[in-house]
Amino acid sequence: MWKTRLLAILICVVYLLFVYFQVKGGDGFLMTLSEVLLVPMVAFGYFAFEKKKTFYFSGFILLFALSELLDLFVDSFNYEMYYLFGNALYMVGYTFLLLEILKSTDFNYLLKRFKVHFIVLIALDIYMVYVLQSIVDPFIDQSYKYYMEMFYNLLMVVVLSIALLNYVHKENRKATFLFLGSVLIVFSEVIWTANTYIVDIDFLGIISKTLALAAFFCFYVQVQYLNEEGKDTRVKLDNKY
């Protein structure tokens, strides 16, 4: 227990350093280091201390952490390779998260039970992808980047939509934390996009990273719960499925 508490304190310290560097400025390497270490530290806690790991969620958090760490070596890569490899890691990671949500969801049941929800969500997803594409389009000069950005954004909103339907279907704490985590990480990505392409404001960068950290906290918590419909069953470390 003391090890997890120590790690939580270290994450808080690194987060406060990140906020300080964003507000006050300072050494560029330390600023980048404090930013990119946050998610990998959560990933380390998951792999080191969590007894009830799942394959898909492990893949998601590992790939996301690796893509974050890639920012430390941005100057060592050709930018095109950095862009492709980094975004590929994120997209495969989101695919793992989507599979984590879908593995315990009866998709046929959702299609039959929530037809109207599906129609509304598809319309909202298309609109959201359109808005995000309209933001990045003026800054993209290669066609493959346009399609990569479109697929990336589509994958994000699909994860959010499926997490919402899973929450409506299951109505338990695991589904709740999965949905909250999905909402937070998508909002984090949207704010990051606005901060990168529309207006560069330090405060937006802080909000984006704060939302991402909160999202991974929710994702971490959901591992502690069984996915039993209509129940809030906490996973005990000495229990077996």
Side-chain angles (χ1 to χ4, degrees), residues 121-137 146-159 161 186 190 193:
L121 286 173
I122 289 172
L124 289 174
D125 288 351
I126 292 173
Y127 177 73
M128 191 169 179
V129 171
Y130 169 77
V131 171
L132 291 172
Q133 286 300 112
S134 65
I135 292 174
V136 303
D137 185 51
Y146 179 86
Y147 291 110
M148 175 169 274
E149 292 283 346
M150 184 171 62
F151 184 73
Y152 187 103
N153 294 330
L154 179 62
L155 195 55
M156 278 196 313
V157 297
V158 168
V159 167
S161 298
V186 169
V190 171
T193 300

Side-chain angles (χ1 to χ4, degrees), residues 4 7 11 38-62 65 100 103 174 216-217 219-224 241:
T4 57
L7 180 62
I11 292 173
L38 291 170
V39 172
M41 289 176 76
V42 176
F44 172 79
Y46 171 78
F47 285 107
F49 307 123
E50 181 53 54
K51 298 294 190 297
K52 297 294 183 180
K53 301 179 184 68
T54 64
F55 175 76
Y56 292 128
F57 184 72
S58 297
F60 162 66
I61 196 169
L62 175 63
E100 173 70 18
K103 74 177 185 181
K174 185 178 184 70
F216 277 92
F217 171 77
F219 289 139
Y220 192 96
V221 171
Q222 64 85 26
V223 177
Q224 308 299 318
Y241 286 111

Side-chain angles (χ1 to χ4, degrees), residues 2-3 28 51-52 64 69 81 83-84 124 131 133 137 142-143 153 161 170 178 202 208 215 238:
W2 67 269
K3 292 181 180 180
K51 298 294 190 297
K52 297 294 183 180
F64 211 98
L69 288 172
M81 292 298 297
Y83 176 88
L84 288 171
L124 289 174
V131 171
Q133 286 300 112
D137 185 51
Q142 285 100 345
S143 59
N153 294 330
S161 298
K170 296 294 183 180
L178 274 171
D202 293 336
S208 176
D238 57 346

Side-chain angles (χ1 to χ4, degrees), residues 178-190:
L178 274 171
F179 174 60
L180 287 176
S182 300
V183 170
L184 290 169
I185 202 165
V186 169
F187 270 87
S188 170
E189 295 270 17
V190 171

Side-chain angles (χ1 to χ4, degrees), residues 1 13 26 32 45 47 49 66 68 112 115 117 122 128 148 150 152-153 172 175 204 213 217 233 236:
M1 181 64 71
V13 170
T32 301
F47 285 107
F49 307 123
L66 288 175
E68 292 280 293
K112 294 177 181 177
K115 287 187 177 68
H117 298 71
I122 289 172
M128 191 169 179
M148 175 169 274
M150 184 171 62
Y152 187 103
N153 294 330
N172 59 18
L204 290 179
L213 192 60
F217 171 77
T233 308
K236 301 298 184 181

